[in-house]
Amino acid sequence: MSLSLENLHKSKPNLQKLQHDSFVEAGIELFVLRLDEIHPIISGNKWYKLKYNLIEAQKIGKLLTFGGAYSNHIFATAWAAHQLGLKSVGIIRGEETLPLNHTLSKAKEWGMEIHYISRTEYRNKNDEEFVNLLKAQFGECFVVSEGGANDLGVKGAEEILQHTDLSFNHVVCSVGTGAMMAGIVNSVREETSVTGYASLKGASFLNEEVARFLKGGHQNWSINLDYHFGGYAKTTDILNDFIEKFEFDFEIKLDRIYNGKMFFGLMERIRNGGFKAGNKIVAIHCGGGQN
Ligand SMILES: *Cc1c(COP(=O)(O)O)cnc(C)c1O
């Protein structure tokens, strides 16, 4: 088992072209960047957002981060810290529920110290004073924002498209914290439009979240707030049926929290003539299945 960051993760994501009658009718080409395949545990965008955070954490030997009880970020961080020989603390939103779910029992198995705080307290997660109190409690550590949504996380996300030729007209991704989307917007050509699909309900604040991480003057991006299906981690029969059919048609599994909603919105836009004939679109499959 390797303990160096370079060996933790190397693979370059596959860019897969999908075939469907509706694409032929619309005259578009759709590619999927398969971040879900790059690693069985740190799958999807989590690797990119963690990379530079882990490099900083290695200087201290310990990291502390935040997440919900089902967080892909907690899962990925606990594993990466374990692989690198770093101590880790997970500050979890809400009360402990026993038996521990898969996410948290794995995190614990990988040596993460789990600490629960109330939903009210959790709102202070980005507060300097609150973070200092946590540092006093858990000792000197490098603090990674929830979901890896900090400057270093965005810097990593800027590398998501690095192996593609960037000749796309549109890039489509899902939005949780918006850190990945900010990295994507920072990395594309000016002519390329970026659309994010929010998995949270009523999340217009995400526009500011993304904007605060943007570097250049890229204006050509927007967040679609219409495909939350009831809210974060909520689903409907329509969404479930779509995910099943998508897997049948393309042999690609989608999670219900992020990718299912994004592809639902994207396929609808394609059917409704929302893209010009000749356009090349890349959708980012961000993983999300915890193994
Ligand atoms: C974390 C995650 C997202 C959201 O990424 P943000 O950078 O927080 O917006 C999207 N899809 C999947 C599968 C994820 O695990």
Side-chain angles (χ1 to χ4, degrees):
M1 208 177 279
S2 158
L3 288 178
S4 84
L5 193 67
E6 303 86 76
N7 290 327
L8 207 60
H9 197 291
K10 271 184 179 156
S11 52
K12 154 181 161 191
N14 185 22
L15 189 65
Q16 181 183 352
K17 185 169 178 183
L18 301 191
Q19 309 287 350
H20 196 263
D21 289 347
S22 68
F23 308 159
V24 179
E25 268 164 48
I28 58 101
E29 289 180 279
L30 178 62
F31 298 82
V32 180
L33 188 65
R34 299 294 303 272
L35 302 189
D36 57 315
E37 294 177 334
I38 57 179
H39 193 276
I41 296 170
I42 314 194
S43 111
N45 69 30
K46 297 301 176 284
W47 157 251
Y48 294 90
K49 292 192 289 180
L50 278 172
K51 181 177 166 188
Y52 293 103
N53 278 296
L54 290 170
I55 291 172
E56 287 308 307
Q58 279 182 309
K59 295 176 187 165
I60 298 177
K62 182 169 183 174
L63 63 78
L64 178 146
T65 195
F66 303 87
Y70 293 89
S71 163
N72 294 334
H73 167 72
I74 289 288
F75 192 76
T77 306
W79 185 81
H82 178 62
Q83 292 297 305
L84 294 168
L86 297 170
K87 289 190 178 140
S88 69
V89 180
I91 307 293
I92 308 299
R93 182 181 62 229
E95 278 162 31
E96 181 176 35
T97 313
L98 293 173
L100 290 182
N101 68 22
H102 179 67
T103 310
L104 296 182
S105 55
K106 280 290 186 185
K108 211 170 158 183
E109 204 179 295
W110 292 322
M112 181 175 262
E113 188 179 344
I114 305 284
H115 179 75
Y116 299 88
I117 61 175
S118 71
R119 282 162 193 277
T120 317
E121 268 183 295
Y122 193 84
R123 288 193 201 112
N124 303 325
K125 62 185 185 292
N126 294 325
D127 221 66
E128 202 183 322
E129 224 174 292
F130 182 66
V131 169
N132 284 337
L133 282 175
L134 289 172
K135 278 187 179 167
Q137 188 175 350
F138 293 100
E140 174 74 350
C141 53
F142 183 75
V143 176
V144 182
S145 316
E146 178 188 52
N150 56 15
D151 288 338
L152 294 170
V154 172
K155 181 178 172 188
E158 287 166 8
E159 297 176 2
I160 288 175
L161 292 170
Q162 72 183 346
H163 297 295
T164 67
D165 69 2
L166 292 174
S167 69
F168 302 105
N169 305 96
H170 304 274
V171 180
V172 176
C173 66
S174 56
V175 179
T177 62
M180 163 178 57
M181 179 165 179
I184 302 274
V185 173
N186 282 339
S187 69
V188 294
R189 303 178 307 160
E190 212 178 327
E191 311 87 278
T192 302
S193 86
V194 182
T195 305
Y197 286 90
S199 59
L200 287 74
K201 187 173 169 178
S204 52
F205 70 91
L206 284 172
N207 285 301
E208 283 149 56
E209 282 299 296
V210 172
R212 79 189 165 104
F213 289 118
L214 296 184
K215 289 177 186 155
H218 198 102
Q219 302 285 330
N220 202 355
W221 61 274
S222 64
I223 301 178
N224 186 315
L225 302 172
D226 298 336
Y227 293 91
H228 57 71
F229 292 89
Y232 185 76
K234 298 259 167 52
T235 184
T236 66
D237 289 345
I238 292 175
L239 179 62
N240 294 342
D241 291 349
F242 170 81
I243 288 171
E244 215 173 280
K245 181 157 188 310
F246 192 93
E247 188 177 344
F248 180 80
D249 287 347
F250 302 113
E251 292 176 27
I252 296 175
K253 276 192 197 305
L254 303 177
D255 73 300
R256 285 160 198 204
I257 301 180
Y258 296 107
N259 294 292
K261 295 176 181 182
M262 173 193 77
F263 275 106
F264 193 107
L266 174 60
M267 297 296 271
E268 203 158 82
R269 183 169 167 193
I270 292 171
R271 273 200 313 276
N272 294 341
F275 295 100
K276 282 198 196 120
N279 275 181
K280 271 167 89 175
I281 305 158
V282 62
I284 302 182
H285 189 316
C286 299
Q290 293 178 16
N291 295 297

